[in-house]
């Protein structure tokens, strides 16, 4: 779990949210993970809507996958990029299609790594080389605190995780919810 230099995130989030992130990464208990995800959803401005999505007994997840897909396709297509990044745009669109198919098959552990690949590529398309700089987290927080908190969330998650389907589901859906509504 990493914090930004000088713990800049503490200027934007309360200690409960920061602790929820730590607990989400460390916990293996499904109810604790759900509770932490709901706390983080509140920090991302999604608490009530995400509560329905987090509940596996609800049917709100399918709408989220559709909304996420549609919003990202629009975001990717509308983002102006250098000629050299046109191929990356096409690859991201293809990976997004495959990712959504995996989600519709309810394969969350298999979707975990592709989710990060898509997010990293979309953020690169949006912000260019700036997104690769060491100080991008701080930059993101300062120009758009809501996006900066999302980026902190993404960067705080381990890229190689062997979590349960339930935990992988919560982590992915929370990130998707933010991007579906960004």
């Amino acid at each position: 779990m990493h914090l930004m230099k000088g713990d800049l995130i503490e200027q934007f989030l309360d200690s409960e949210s920061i602790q929820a992130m730590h607990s989400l990464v460390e916990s293996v208990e499904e109810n604790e993970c759900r509770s932490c995800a709901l706390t983080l959803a509140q920090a991302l401005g999604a608490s009530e809507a995400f509560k329905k999505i987090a509940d596996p007994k609800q049917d709100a997840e399918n709408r989220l996958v559709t909304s996420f897909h549609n919003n990202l396709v629009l975001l990717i297509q509308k983002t102006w990029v250098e000629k050299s990044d046109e191929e990356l745009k096409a690859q991201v669109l293809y990976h997004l299609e495959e990712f959504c198919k995996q989600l519709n098959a309810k394969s969350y552990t298999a979707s975990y790594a592709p989710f990060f690949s898509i997010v990293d590529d979309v953020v690169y398309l949006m912000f260019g080389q700036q997104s690769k700089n060491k100080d991008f987290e701080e930059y993101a927080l300062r120009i758009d605190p809501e996006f900066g908190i999302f980026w902190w969330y993404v960067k705080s998650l381990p890229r190689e995780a062997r979590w349960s389907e339930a935990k992988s589901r919560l982590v992915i859906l929370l990130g998707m919810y933010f991007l579906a509504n960004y």
Side-chain angles (χ1 to χ4, degrees):
M1 174 79 205
H2 92 215
L3 286 177
M4 296 175 189
K5 68 179 174 186
D7 296 338
L8 179 63
I9 194 66
E10 292 174 353
Q11 295 176 25
F12 295 87
L13 285 178
D14 59 20
S15 60
E16 180 184 7
S17 298
I18 294 169
Q19 182 55 49
M21 188 70 223
H22 285 285
S23 298
L24 178 63
V25 169
E26 298 298 322
S27 181
V28 293
E29 209 285 305
E30 189 175 335
N31 286 335
E32 182 180 4
C33 290
R34 185 176 294 114
S35 174
C36 292
L38 291 173
T39 298
L40 289 165
Q42 189 170 10
L44 290 168
S47 60
E48 285 308 309
F50 188 72
K51 198 177 285 186
K52 289 180 182 141
I53 293 164
D55 183 352
K57 296 175 190 104
Q58 298 281 328
D59 191 29
E61 185 176 330
N62 291 336
R63 285 190 305 251
L64 174 62
V65 172
T66 300
S67 179
F68 171 78
H69 173 269
N70 292 343
N71 200 42
L72 250 62
V73 165
L74 187 63
L75 188 64
I76 293 164
Q77 289 176 341
K78 297 292 182 192
T79 300
W80 180 89
V81 296
E82 298 290 335
K83 194 78 167 155
S84 59
D85 289 329
E86 286 294 329
E87 186 175 320
L88 177 61
K89 271 176 103 166
Q91 286 177 354
V92 175
L93 288 168
Y94 172 77
H95 291 145
L96 177 62
E97 296 299 324
E98 294 302 306
F99 172 76
C100 289
K101 285 178 191 173
Q102 282 182 319
L103 285 181
N104 288 330
K106 306 296 186 216
S107 183
Y108 304 102
T109 54
S111 302
Y112 187 83
F115 173 70
F116 287 109
S117 177
I118 291 167
V119 170
D120 287 344
D121 287 344
V122 168
V123 170
Y124 175 80
L125 290 172
M126 290 170 58
F127 292 95
Q129 195 58 40
Q130 175 72 29
S131 68
K132 305 289 185 194
N133 293 345
K134 282 189 319 189
D135 65 346
F136 181 68
E137 292 176 50
E138 181 178 340
Y139 172 80
L141 270 171
R142 296 203 186 281
I143 63 159
D144 183 350
E146 190 176 78
F147 179 80
I149 291 168
F150 164 75
W151 193 242
W152 167 80
Y153 169 76
V154 168
K155 288 304 197 179
S156 297
L157 295 167
R159 295 301 171 112
E160 301 291 323
R162 298 286 177 240
W163 290 336
S164 68
E165 285 287 321
K167 183 173 179 176
S168 295
R169 176 184 178 274
L170 285 168
V171 167
I172 291 168
L173 293 180
L174 181 55
M176 285 175 56
Y177 186 85
F178 178 83
L179 287 173
N181 294 287
Y182 185 66

